[in-house]
Amino acid sequence: MKKYPLLLIAIGLFCLLVGGVMKVTAGPPSADPTLAAQCRQNVTERGGDSALMVQCDEAAFATALTATDAEQAAQAISAANQNEIGGGMISMFLIGIGLALLAGGLFLRFGKRPDAVRL
């Protein structure tokens, strides 16, 4: 890859861009519409405010609020959290690889070259 430092820079920037977009747009998994509606109904019955209504769109919160069986609720919340963690790990991996490739490409492109051998 010593011959292609611009390729390393381009791939590094692409990985940084994709990882950054994934990191910014990622969030907790959303709940299905029926579960979110049940969650909103439970929040209004309990006298919750609008901040809790907004959280009903998250799968883990909606499952916790509408659960009737503790074991199934724990499994659903765990699955939602693992999904969120997996996406975060992939985005951070891409950001790390992008930084490494970008730094390597910049070093190869602009780094000091050894002087010519003198006799």
Side-chain angles (χ1 to χ4, degrees):
M1 291 308 267
K2 286 185 178 182
K3 295 181 181 179
Y4 305 108
L6 292 178
L7 181 63
L8 284 177
I9 293 170
I11 293 172
L13 286 174
F14 179 73
C15 287
L16 272 174
L17 179 70
V18 171
V21 167
M22 285 178 65
K23 187 71 171 165
V24 170
T25 59
S30 58
D32 61 350
T34 56
L35 187 62
Q38 289 175 349
C39 176
R40 286 188 187 94
Q41 183 179 1
N42 285 351
V43 168
T44 54
E45 288 174 358
R46 295 177 184 182
D49 59 354
S50 61
L52 290 176
M53 290 283 194
V54 173
Q55 288 184 339
C56 281
D57 292 330
E58 299 174 8
F61 184 80
T63 302
L65 217 61
T66 59
T68 55
D69 182 19
E71 186 175 337
Q72 288 177 351
Q75 289 174 352
I77 291 169
S78 175
N81 289 339
Q82 287 177 357
N83 187 14
E84 184 178 1
I85 290 171
M89 284 179 22
I90 291 171
S91 66
M92 292 304 288
F93 174 76
L94 286 174
I95 290 171
I97 290 293
L99 284 173
L101 290 175
L102 180 64
L106 288 174
F107 178 74
L108 289 175
R109 178 82 172 115
F110 299 112
K112 280 189 171 183
R113 294 197 172 101
D115 293 333
V117 177
R118 296 182 194 184
L119 294 172

